Amino acid sequence: MGEFDTQKGKYVTFQSGNEFYGLKIQYVSEIIVYQEITEIPESPEYVKGLINLRGKIIPVVDVRLRFRQEPIPYTDRTCIIVIQVNDYVVGLIVEKIAEVVEIQDENILPSPSIGKNDNSTKNKFVSGIGKVGDEVKLLLDPERLLRDEDVALMEHLNEEDSLEEE
Amino acid sequence: MAEEFNTGDMLSVYLFENQQLIENLQNIVMDQKDADGFDEDSINEIFRTMHTIKGSSGIMMFDEITKVAHRLEDIFFYLRESHPDGVPHQDLVAHVLDVADFISGEMDKLSDGGEADGDGSAILSELDTFLSEIKGEKPGTKKKEEPRETEEGPKQFYIAPETGNGSSYFKIYLTYNPDIEMASMHAYKTVFALKKIAEEVLYSPEDILTNPESSDLIVKEGFKIILRTTSGEEDIRQIVQPGYDLVKVEVYECTAKEFQMGFDAEGSEIMIDLESSVEDIERRSEQRAQGAKEEKKIAPGDFVVATKEPGKGKNLAKDRPKKTDKAAFISVDISKMDQLMDLIGELVISQSVVLQNPDLKVPGLNLDNFNKAAGQMKKISTDLQNVIMSMRMVPLTNTFQKMNRIVFDMSRKLGKDVAFEMIGDTTEVDKNIIENISDPLMHLVRNSMDHGIESNEERMAAGKKEKAKVTLTAKTESGKVFIIVSDNGKGLDREQIMAKARQQGLLEPGRAESSYSDKEIYQFITLPGFSTNKKVTEFSGRGVGMDVVVSNIQKVGGSLEIDSEPGKGSTMVLKIPLTLAIIDGIVMETGNSSFVMETSAVREFVHVTGDMMIHEPDGAESVMIRGECYPVLRLGEFYHIDDHQEDVEEGMMVIVEVDNKAICLFVDHLVGKQEIVVKPIPDYIKKVKGLSGCTQLGDGSIALIIDAAGLID
């Protein structure tokens, strides 16, 4: 429980576009610098491929592409956040790591419900909005981030199947 | 009742332990089958093995196994205690093997999720007869069976205490042999047996089933039972009999009051006894033992908990054979080993990154000390790699021993005098592979025994002086394990195989029969349904087999070669890879992606020219190579890879063949041949057609492994 306590309310934040996102620190196993990615054929665009994490081969997802934003070229600041959700170990490619912040529950607002159109794609993954000072962090639900992916992937494969059938 | 005990965990532990015991038993027996008799160590070892199996089977309620093991234990108990002369050793060996077979047969059923429902009565009566024989008794004086082995237990463990209706109360003190394992299980067995006659049973320590430390406690302090029963002391003694495991049994009648006080009452008494001198306790306990033997009643309140008997302990220690160089094992989660292997692989790669670091290339650096240290480090990491590889490896010894057993059995049953020789049985092979080659090997050995080796008379007639012999050889050569089954029998009959092949229409039409090489002809026997044996025997000859052998061997990436010299014998060479986790692969590139294909699936590489291509109207392509037409699959297009080679003359065609279907795979270029460690593609990535895994190349980058069969389908 001690570990839980020290990690409670802490979020790893990263920047993507103009927005800052937060991930509960419990999900994050490590952060590594960007490294060579091996592409996997026939995978959705946002699944960039596989990386070799000290002998363990894990898939990586480009967060920008996942949010259907324009991709930007990878730089020295590009990082991979390795998260573990349920049994999956997945790397998230992010533009820039910001910092680890503490956000108490009372400073977290539920994500705005039926919002404007440009928000709807992000809302899928955002579980709440955390206030830190006068900044706002969009808090991600990693399970949704990956689970929705499954559905998306299934759809993707189904499309492919139906194309093949034709 | 059985369901209450046969929980999956216990069953798997039971199976695992007993399987090892049985294997060990067979090894002992096979080692000494040709001797005049078992030596003392072996007798003790067999006795103990049977005892353990009996005990654990009893707990698991596998009655037939218990009975059979018990009976064999009786025989070895007699051998051990009485050292009788003139024991027919061959018969004894056969009996032990029968029992081992019976038990492993039952265990196979259990591990397949079945019931241990085999009938051991035939074996039991044989063993009885045998025991009577070696005891010099007339056959027929069978030991009476112990009722507790067959009786159904009562359906209830505890019955609420009632006030006296003529029942009496007993306190029982059990002292166990400190050498036995799982004293708690034995104790529980006793309690369970007592429940049949008892109205109420209390025992201490109470947590014998759940607390693993209770075993030690029981051995150290004894096991205490208080029970209320309508039966008499005689009945209790009938159930709780001293033996090898149970050193001492003390039964005292007590009052209802004492019973209700339970174990608290005697606490004080033990305290008193602990205060008296050791000699005193010993003397008293000896008296008690004496008294117990004479079945004399001892007044309540006068009891003592005999903690140890020094004299007895010494005797046992002498009885126990020196522990031979038996290896100690721990079972390790395979995923941990994989992880370790990953890390070591990574270590080797990062080591080369350090040692070949461009920073070191600065001119004028004095690197002598660095190079020395680097050399040392390389040595250690190589050792480390070898160790982890060897952890997955198991020697073939046990597998070979099984074959020894088969030769022994068959030579007796077929009346052929055959020697068996093992060479290189310590050769180590990946565990998965051993599981897959055990059956094929058995089949080959049976074939050699049945068809290869002639009967004694035939050998005489053929003027063969040397003893018939089956040789099993194992050796490692160029990353493969060769297992060779050879015999000095009559060899394969070329004409007979040819005739059979002709009859079954296996010969290629229009090809001269004389043009078939010996090897080609011998390959016929690996086809389904092919048997030249005229009669079907117990062991072989049904024509099912060689094809299964071959397909099993192929499953682990191996091959079978048959060679034979008429009149001199035949040789079967099994070539199998050392491990399944590492495959030999061809690395190729398309665009920026690396792919690996298993070498065995690749037939050849061809540079083709544009005029060899055939373009069909629907876009499908084929290529004509030496008069044969192959469909072309462009890997780059198939997987939509950017920047791949379009021009067939610039790239490379790889002819891939699986199950006689061949296609041409077009890739940009070849990188080389390499041994690769197969890793699964992470679950998160959905299955991609034609990919079976991924691997890490020498530079740390990742290549995808192409599954040739998946690609062709």
Side-chain angles (χ1 to χ4, degrees):
Chain A
M1 285 316 273
E3 192 189 33
F4 179 73
D5 285 338
T6 58
Q7 291 186 349
K8 195 176 180 231
K10 289 204 174 148
Y11 290 79
V12 175
T13 59
F14 61 88
Q15 192 182 352
S16 188
N18 296 323
E19 241 101 33
F20 284 88
Y21 295 88
L23 270 172
K24 252 194 191 142
I25 205 160
Q26 283 97 324
Y27 293 111
V28 179
S29 37
E30 61 186 299
I31 297 164
I32 53 174
V33 292
Y34 176 79
Q35 61 179 81
E36 203 61 43
I37 294 176
T38 303
E39 281 178 38
I40 293 266
E42 301 188 358
S43 295
E45 199 187 7
Y46 57 81
V47 176
K48 293 301 284 185
L50 302 173
I51 58 164
N52 177 8
L53 182 69
R54 292 188 303 283
K56 202 173 156 124
I57 291 173
I58 63 165
V60 284
V61 169
D62 188 318
V63 173
R64 282 190 72 92
L65 293 172
R66 186 76 183 103
F67 294 157
R68 310 220 177 127
Q69 294 166 334
E70 278 303 300
I72 55 160
Y74 299 139
T75 65
D76 284 355
R77 300 297 305 265
T78 309
C79 280
I80 299 175
I81 304 179
V82 181
I83 58 166
Q84 182 158 11
V85 182
N86 303 329
D87 287 339
Y88 294 131
V89 178
V90 177
L92 303 176
I93 303 173
V94 300
E95 260 180 82
K96 209 177 186 182
I97 287 284
E99 58 186 336
V100 176
V101 293
E102 208 170 323
I103 308 175
Q104 296 307 334
D105 285 350
E106 60 265 26
N107 289 331
I108 297 174
L109 307 171
S111 67
S113 47
I114 314 148
K116 291 156 225 142
N117 285 338
D118 56 5
N119 250 352
S120 60
T121 49
K122 283 176 205 164
N123 269 346
K124 268 206 301 197
F125 315 116
V126 176
S127 61
I129 292 170
K131 291 185 291 182
V132 181
D134 38 1
E135 283 180 42
V136 190
K137 319 272 183 194
L138 300 172
L139 305 182
L140 295 173
D141 178 350
E143 283 184 46
R144 270 194 245 171
L145 202 65
L146 301 187
R147 188 179 49 221
D148 276 3
E149 202 126 20
D150 284 353
V151 178
L153 247 168
M154 288 308 285
E155 283 164 8
H156 178 85
L157 288 178
N158 287 343
E159 273 166 34
E160 205 122 300
D161 284 350
S162 54
L163 280 178
E164 271 172 24
E165 275 159 25
E166 285 161 34
Chain B
M1 182 119 313
E3 283 82 344
E4 285 180 60
F5 295 98
N6 295 358
T7 58
D9 269 359
M10 260 170 92
L11 183 65
S12 60
V13 169
Y14 168 84
L15 289 173
F16 178 74
E17 282 177 354
N18 283 2
Q19 203 176 346
Q20 294 197 321
L21 286 171
I22 291 281
E23 260 172 34
N24 190 24
L25 176 76
Q26 295 214 20
N27 290 351
I28 295 170
V29 175
M30 294 317 290
D31 267 355
Q32 306 197 5
K33 68 178 164 58
D34 297 324
D36 295 329
F38 290 116
D39 60 32
E40 198 153 324
D41 282 358
S42 308
I43 290 176
N44 279 327
E45 189 72 39
I46 298 173
F47 172 74
R48 254 199 309 279
T49 304
M50 279 302 137
H51 186 81
T52 313
I53 293 177
K54 180 190 80 173
S56 54
S57 306
I59 292 157
M60 300 297 290
M61 314 257 160
F62 301 139
D63 289 338
E64 291 295 315
I65 300 178
T66 315
K67 275 192 242 168
V68 170
H70 187 130
R71 207 52 52 87
L72 191 64
E73 184 195 342
D74 284 345
I75 292 178
F76 276 86
F77 184 74
Y78 177 70
L79 291 176
R80 189 169 95 137
E81 298 299 312
S82 317
H83 302 288
D85 290 326
V87 177
H89 185 64
Q90 290 298 320
D91 291 351
L92 180 59
V93 166
H95 284 308
V96 177
L97 294 179
D98 281 347
V99 170
D101 281 351
F102 175 76
I103 295 173
S104 48
E106 294 301 292
M107 291 200 309
D108 283 349
K109 282 190 224 164
L110 289 168
S111 61
D112 290 343
E115 295 280 327
D117 51 2
D119 183 8
S121 56
I123 294 177
L124 281 178
S125 67
E126 274 176 34
L127 291 177
D128 278 337
T129 320
F130 183 74
L131 184 58
S132 311
E133 271 170 27
I134 59 172
K135 275 184 175 168
E137 293 167 7
K138 278 176 228 146
T141 50
K142 284 185 188 173
K143 272 187 65 174
K144 70 173 165 85
E145 281 185 10
E146 283 170 57
R148 65 176 155 127
E149 287 172 349
T150 43
E151 265 174 31
E152 263 284 305
K155 295 291 179 220
Q156 221 174 337
F157 280 9
Y158 299 97
I159 297 167
E162 290 162 34
T163 37
N165 51 352
S167 30
S168 34
Y169 302 89
F170 291 96
K171 286 192 174 179
I172 305 170
Y173 293 90
L174 304 175
T175 312
Y176 285 93
N177 184 341
D179 289 345
I180 59 162
E181 283 157 28
M182 299 200 297
S184 58
M185 287 301 184
H186 288 280
Y188 188 74
K189 218 175 98 184
T190 309
V191 171
F192 187 73
L194 282 171
K195 277 170 186 160
K196 285 170 196 162
I197 60 160
E199 290 171 315
E200 196 175 353
V201 184
L202 297 173
Y203 50 90
S204 161
E206 282 178 330
D207 49 358
I208 47 175
L209 275 189
T210 47
N211 183 0
E213 279 160 28
S214 61
S215 279
D216 294 341
L217 202 68
I218 289 170
V219 168
K220 222 161 68 198
E221 297 188 352
F223 186 60
K224 291 161 266 179
I225 304 170
I226 314 184
L227 80 162
R228 185 164 66 91
T229 174
T230 48
S231 311
E233 190 181 327
E234 271 303 302
D235 297 320
I236 296 172
R237 288 198 181 274
Q238 191 69 38
I239 289 169
V240 196
Q241 281 176 343
Y244 170 76
D245 47 354
L246 197 52
V247 181
K248 209 161 93 186
V249 178
E250 291 162 274
V251 182
Y252 312 108
E253 196 165 352
C254 63
T255 62
K257 196 178 160 219
E258 272 183 275
F259 177 78
Q260 263 154 22
M261 283 166 77
F263 295 104
D264 298 337
E266 78 218 41
S268 55
E269 312 234 11
I270 294 168
M271 289 302 286
I272 293 164
D273 277 326
L274 287 175
E275 279 162 21
S276 46
S277 74
V278 178
E279 290 78 19
D280 218 25
I281 294 176
E282 256 172 48
R283 189 175 45 75
R284 271 201 276 164
S285 70
E286 259 160 43
Q287 278 174 0
R288 204 122 303 122
Q290 203 78 31
K293 262 180 207 155
E294 290 163 20
E295 309 264 65
K296 208 171 77 186
K297 275 196 183 176
I298 287 160
D302 195 12
F303 48 76
V304 72
V305 178
T307 46
K308 61 176 168 191
E309 295 169 86
K312 187 83 185 173
K314 235 179 267 164
N315 278 342
L316 285 168
K318 227 182 277 169
D319 275 358
R320 189 195 297 178
K322 286 159 268 147
K323 281 263 180 271
T324 40
D325 50 346
K326 206 188 274 174
F329 293 105
I330 58 164
S331 39
V332 178
D333 189 347
I334 199 114
S335 66
K336 281 190 185 164
M337 287 191 32
D338 289 344
Q339 205 182 351
L340 188 59
M341 198 147 136
D342 285 348
L343 286 174
I344 290 171
E346 200 63 16
L347 181 74
V348 171
I349 287 162
S350 54
Q351 169 185 284
S352 64
V353 171
V354 172
L355 299 187
Q356 283 150 30
N357 202 296
D359 292 2
L360 296 170
K361 303 271 172 353
V362 179
L365 274 183
N366 182 2
L367 290 173
D368 283 358
N369 287 327
F370 177 84
N371 286 336
K372 255 187 227 164
Q376 180 69 11
M377 183 168 130
K378 266 191 211 161
K379 207 171 136 233
I380 293 171
S381 61
T382 315
D383 282 356
L384 203 56
Q385 235 178 335
N386 291 338
V387 169
I388 177 72
M389 289 306 289
S390 74
M391 277 166 77
R392 300 180 65 98
M393 308 293 239
V394 230
L396 283 163
T397 316
N398 273 338
T399 317
F400 275 26
Q401 285 288 358
K402 271 188 216 156
M403 304 307 140
N404 189 357
R405 169 75 202 281
I406 288 164
V407 172
F408 174 75
D409 277 357
M410 287 184 70
S411 68
R412 284 179 358 136
K413 284 188 181 144
L414 297 168
K416 294 176 179 175
D417 190 13
V418 185
F420 180 75
E421 194 184 1
M422 295 188 287
I423 301 169
D425 60 315
T426 49
T427 307
E428 291 187 327
V429 183
D430 195 292
K431 190 162 184 342
N432 298 338
I433 290 187
I434 287 208
E435 279 159 13
N436 278 300
I437 60 160
S438 188
D439 282 351
L441 209 53
M442 197 184 314
H443 200 90
L444 294 179
V445 171
R446 281 183 176 163
N447 271 352
S448 278
M449 286 297 295
D450 211 11
H451 311 314
I453 303 283
E454 312 92 329
S455 65
N456 292 350
E457 296 76 39
E458 279 177 295
R459 282 187 85 85
M460 291 269 275
K464 282 186 167 181
K465 289 205 183 67
E466 81 276 53
K467 198 178 177 191
K469 192 164 153 191
V470 173
T471 313
L472 210 52
T473 314
K475 59 179 178 184
T476 340
E477 211 176 281
S478 59
K480 291 215 160 188
V481 179
F482 287 58
I483 299 179
I484 304 161
V485 183
S486 56
D487 63 63
N488 59 357
K490 58 176 179 270
L492 292 167
D493 188 336
R494 190 191 148 112
E495 288 314 310
Q496 215 179 347
I497 296 170
M498 208 60 186
K500 182 85 181 179
R502 205 179 299 128
Q503 184 194 327
Q504 296 198 343
L506 296 170
L507 302 182
E508 285 173 43
R511 183 169 167 188
E513 281 183 22
S514 55
S515 72
Y516 282 92
S517 72
D518 283 355
K519 283 213 166 154
E520 276 179 288
I521 292 170
Y522 299 144
Q523 284 301 328
F524 281 134
I525 66 171
T526 64
L527 295 173
F530 196 96
S531 173
T532 61
N533 204 27
K534 288 173 199 91
K535 63 177 198 305
V536 169
T537 71
E538 179 191 343
F539 300 108
S540 47
R542 287 187 184 83
V544 253
M546 283 308 276
D547 59 318
V548 179
V549 168
V550 171
S551 69
N552 272 353
I553 294 168
Q554 280 170 349
K555 218 187 286 170
V556 294
S559 63
L560 176 71
E561 267 175 34
I562 303 164
D563 205 359
S564 175
E565 211 175 320
K568 293 236 173 106
S570 43
T571 307
M572 313 269 170
V573 184
L574 253 154
K575 287 186 201 165
I576 45 172
L578 268 174
T579 166
L580 282 181
I582 294 179
I583 63 168
D584 218 8
I586 308 274
V587 186
M588 43 202 150
E589 271 183 1
T590 292
N592 287 321
S593 304
S594 303
F595 294 92
V596 181
M597 176 161 286
E598 207 181 329
T599 312
S600 60
V602 177
R603 201 210 285 169
E604 60 179 311
F605 312 110
V606 192
H607 262 302
V608 297
T609 49
D611 56 353
M612 291 160 84
M613 301 297 293
I614 302 164
H615 299 274
E616 286 170 38
D618 60 356
E621 284 178 302
S622 305
V623 62
M624 185 71 90
I625 297 168
R626 290 190 297 275
E628 277 194 67
C629 196
Y630 302 96
V632 171
L633 192 140
R634 285 172 189 255
L635 201 58
E637 279 172 21
F638 187 70
Y639 285 138
H640 311 290
I641 295 166
D642 300 334
D643 305 329
H644 65 269
Q645 190 59 253
E646 301 280 354
D647 186 352
V648 288
E649 296 191 15
E650 294 295 317
M652 179 64 86
M653 285 289 182
V654 182
I655 303 183
V656 179
E657 189 179 68
V658 178
D659 293 337
N660 294 322
K661 270 198 276 179
I663 62 163
C664 252
L665 198 63
F666 181 68
V667 297
D668 287 8
H669 59 267
L670 298 175
V671 176
K673 194 174 146 183
Q674 195 180 336
E675 282 195 336
I676 54 162
V677 179
V678 180
K679 290 178 187 182
I681 294 178
D683 287 345
Y684 182 68
I685 308 282
K686 292 293 168 271
K687 172 104 185 104
V688 180
K689 189 172 188 262
L691 295 184
S692 62
C694 51
T695 188
Q696 201 180 327
L697 297 177
D699 59 356
S701 67
I702 299 166
L704 303 169
I705 299 171
I706 300 178
D707 169 27
L711 208 60
I712 287 178
D713 281 344

